[in-house]
Amino acid sequence: MTSKLAALMPDLAPWRSSRDFRLLWSQGLVTYLGSVMALIALPLQIKELTGSPLAVGVMGAVELVPLVVFGLYGGALADAVDRRKVIVLTEAGMGLLAVVLLLNAMLPQPALWPLYVVAASVAALAGLQRPALDSLLARIVPHDQLAAAAALNALRWQAGAIAGPAAAGLVVAYAGNIPAYATTVVCFTLSILMCRRLSPVPPAEHAAKPSWRGIAEGARYAWSRPVLLGTYAIDLAAMFFAFPNTIFPFLADELDADWSLGLMYSAGAVGSLVVSLTSGWVSRTRRHGLLVVFGAAGWGLAMAAAGWTSQVWLVLMCLALAGAGDMVSGLGRSTIWNQTIPDRLRGRLAGIEVLSYSIGPQLGQVRAGAMAGWTGARPAIWTGGLACVAAVGLLTITLPKLLSYDARTDEDAARRRADEGVEPGSPGTAGAGSQDAGPTAVTPGPGGEQL
């Protein structure tokens, strides 16, 4: 029994073997704890200023264009320059934007427009940063430890996602926006100092300068790989139809449970944490496409149940189940990405990954906000959950190679192992990592969001 339990425990090998992984893991935790304060304070502040669900949802639309443009360019940039410099500079930019939020909140009458400007600017900087972060993991962690690194990154996100929203909800509710934004500023200051200690990560020899032609090359590669295409499409659909986080304040009002707002934001992370704490099985999994499909379908079903029930504790339980499903899907996606994508294209494909797990939540905010203004928060959530399940089923039928993906037989995975000198059948063939993350850490949809 003891050996079986030990086999389920997270593998700490990446933490022991890589100084840069330890720095990046710690930096990510600090950044998330600061960001979640702003992530909860921003929609709540817009709600207080406008009283409109649509006004809250519009924040996603404002973020969309910068995220698309800078996410794609950030992928090309990550393949062409030192990824450490990109991370440090963008982190500093987001820290300055946190200062803007703090100064605006300190005004006698805080203005609405700076909130949208900051949201758009953060999306642009996150678009530039995330490909550099995503493509860094495979450079600082040995191939046979990528799956373990994915699980540890997920564990980091969940630790912050459980404690962070609950604490942020209390801070915003009882102390106001100023302490929340001040905490964000402090956390980003610490994060920048840690990022500066990372080792340089120069681009590959003869790397081309960032260009739209290079971006197009990455897009053509992704389009020619049905397995990759399936991971992007399923994540996009799941987040578009079933990402209702921005209307949680209105759901709490409908349930007459304002006290539950912070718990709603953190409930998904509880389910994700359970998966991560028992993630030893990930390194022995070969059929990662199954994880993507069934995890995303589980996310949708649980969200539908969360919107259907009127009991707040059942809502929180369903949100936790949704987080578990999203984590399983995220582990599958990130593993396939790192197992199959060649290093010369890793940054550009990471830019496409940013779009797949970030555009969905942004559009999902608009969809949820608009529908909640029409039908109320609960119908907006349960109909989106059912639509998510239907979309996952349709995409699985359309792209059957995702469901049949096997790390032992996939040609791209075999080519990547050969490039890194990993023998077939070694532990390196079992899995890889990525957030969120949304992140990046494994990014289960919302998990990887910055600021």
Side-chain angles (χ1 to χ4, degrees):
M1 179 62 72
T2 302
S3 61
K4 290 182 179 180
L5 289 175
L8 292 174
M9 297 299 290
D11 184 354
L12 299 180
W15 180 271
R16 291 192 293 264
S17 67
S18 175
R19 167 188 173 273
D20 283 335
F21 179 80
R22 293 193 296 273
L23 276 172
L24 212 57
W25 193 96
S26 303
Q27 171 270 331
L29 179 60
V30 171
T31 296
Y32 186 83
L33 290 174
S35 294
V36 76
M37 290 284 179
L39 282 170
I40 290 179
L42 261 176
L44 197 58
Q45 190 175 16
I46 294 174
K47 173 180 177 287
E48 292 169 351
L49 292 173
T50 67
S52 168
L54 181 59
V56 176
V58 164
M59 188 171 68
V62 167
E63 294 169 333
L64 183 57
V65 173
L67 189 62
V68 171
V69 174
F70 288 92
L72 288 172
Y73 185 77
L77 192 68
D79 282 336
V81 302
D82 188 329
R83 293 167 187 171
R84 171 183 169 274
K85 291 182 179 178
V86 176
I87 294 169
V88 171
L89 291 175
T90 51
E91 197 78 358
M94 285 186 274
L96 290 175
L97 291 172
V99 173
V100 172
L101 290 176
L102 176 60
L103 294 176
N104 181 63
M106 294 172 68
L107 295 175
Q109 294 294 329
L112 178 63
W113 66 265
L115 306 184
Y116 290 118
V117 171
V118 168
S121 301
V122 167
L125 289 172
L128 288 173
Q129 184 189 76
R130 292 294 290 274
L133 283 169
D134 287 0
S135 58
L136 186 60
L137 188 63
R139 294 280 294 270
I140 65 175
V141 173
H143 187 95
D144 62 333
Q145 296 176 11
L146 286 170
L152 290 176
N153 278 341
L155 189 61
R156 173 200 67 193
W157 171 78
Q158 289 136 13
I162 291 171
L170 292 174
V171 169
V172 172
Y174 294 104
N177 296 318
I178 293 176
Y181 293 141
T183 301
T184 302
V185 172
V186 171
C187 287
F188 268 91
T189 301
L190 294 174
S191 174
I192 293 164
L193 294 175
M194 284 188 278
C195 287
R196 286 175 56 85
R197 297 182 60 199
L198 290 169
S199 303
V201 187
E205 191 175 359
H206 308 304
K209 293 182 179 180
S211 67
W212 289 110
R213 178 179 295 180
I215 293 172
E217 180 188 2
R220 285 194 299 270
Y221 179 88
W223 187 261
S224 68
R225 299 305 195 271
V227 173
L228 287 179
L229 199 60
T231 65
Y232 301 146
I234 284 180
D235 187 43
L236 184 64
M239 293 299 106
F240 173 73
F241 288 115
F243 183 66
N245 287 30
T246 53
I247 60 172
F248 281 168
F250 300 92
L251 177 62
D253 285 347
E254 289 187 15
L255 298 175
D256 194 25
D258 292 342
W259 56 268
S260 68
L261 179 59
L263 296 178
M264 288 182 184
Y265 280 109
S266 60
V270 174
S272 299
L273 180 63
V274 173
V275 174
S276 292
L277 288 175
T278 57
S279 61
W281 56 272
V282 176
S283 295
R284 299 184 295 277
T285 299
R286 270 65 172 176
R287 300 290 301 278
H288 304 101
L290 291 173
L291 303 185
V292 175
V293 171
F294 288 106
W299 157 269
L301 282 173
M303 280 297 181
W308 187 261
T309 182
S310 60
Q311 301 297 316
V312 66
W313 289 110
L314 288 177
V315 170
L316 295 173
M317 184 180 299
C318 290
L319 292 176
L321 290 173
D326 194 38
M327 173 52 57
V328 170
S329 183
L331 286 172
R333 290 193 311 271
S334 59
T335 297
I336 291 172
W337 293 340
N338 276 318
Q339 280 184 341
T340 62
I341 298 172
D343 188 66
R344 67 181 182 84
L345 293 172
R346 193 67 191 86
R348 280 163 284 181
L349 270 293
I352 295 174
E353 291 158 21
V354 167
L355 302 188
S356 78
Y357 58 64
S358 298
I359 287 181
Q362 309 311 323
L363 292 177
Q365 291 181 78
V366 179
R367 183 210 67 82
M371 191 166 182
W374 178 38
T375 66
R378 288 176 58 204
I381 294 172
W382 71 257
T383 56
L386 293 180
C388 167
V389 176
V392 170
L394 181 61
L395 288 168
T396 302
I397 294 171
T398 306
L399 298 165
K401 287 191 176 181
L402 174 61
L403 201 61
S404 62
Y405 174 85
D406 191 318
R408 295 164 295 188
T409 58
D410 183 81
E411 292 181 1
D412 289 321
R415 191 176 299 113
R416 180 69 192 269
R417 290 195 300 270
D419 289 343
E420 298 193 8
V422 179
E423 294 295 331
S426 73
T429 66
S434 173
Q435 97 252 115
D436 324 285
T440 186
V442 170
T443 311
E449 289 186 42
Q450 288 273 21
L451 194 49

